[in-house]
Amino acid sequence: MSTGERSEARRKAVAVGPGVCHALGLMMLVITEWVRADLKDATSAASHAYLKDMIEFAGSLADTDWYKPAVDLYDNVSFGEPRAALWAAVFMALVVRLNRYGPEEAQRVLSWVAAAYCLLATLALLPYLAAPGAGVILLLALSGGW
């Protein structure tokens, strides 16, 4: 196998399409873990203004035709462990990005599976985007840089 073939296969594994999905997954992982830690250490839920925004956003999404099926699919695909599955998807994406000389076909499959799950997680966890507010743009930019 020549170097050109390897770089072409590598390019497909870390292309813009899966890369954007990986960045979205990392961003959602950071946000959900931050919210989880913030609520765990909270003395009063009333002190978290973003909770009201999250609830309102979730309510508006519930009125759409696509949100409930996306959440149901997310729950089913993650086998009841969505947090662990999101960690695994982000970790798989990281392995693909850091392992430049790994098996090409396996990396391509891992990359696209992780990308699909990260995109699904982003759709299902959209209400969490209300937590950082405008900071979501910064988080997305930082996530995209990995």
Side-chain angles (χ1 to χ4, degrees), residues 21-70:
C21 295
H22 297 158
L24 289 170
L26 177 61
M27 178 187 70
M28 293 310 292
L29 181 64
V30 168
I31 292 170
T32 57
E33 289 298 317
W34 172 75
V35 168
R36 184 175 185 269
D38 189 46
L39 293 177
K40 188 176 183 180
D41 294 337
T43 56
S44 169
S47 67
H48 301 288
Y50 64 84
L51 289 177
K52 181 181 176 203
D53 295 336
M54 287 176 64
I55 292 167
E56 288 174 0
F57 193 19
S60 68
L61 287 172
D63 293 337
T64 65
D65 293 334
W66 61 268
Y67 185 67
K68 174 120 173 67

Side-chain angles (χ1 to χ4, degrees), residues 8-15 18 22 96 104 107-108 111-112:
E8 176 65 19
R10 173 92 180 131
R11 186 187 64 75
K12 288 179 181 177
V14 294
H22 297 158
V96 168
E104 297 160 0
Q107 284 197 346
R108 190 174 318 135
S111 178
W112 282 101

Side-chain angles (χ1 to χ4, degrees), residues 2 15 23 31 39 52 55 69 95 98 103 113-114 126 130 132:
S2 73
I31 292 170
L39 293 177
K52 181 181 176 203
I55 292 167
V95 165
L98 294 178
V113 167
L126 276 176

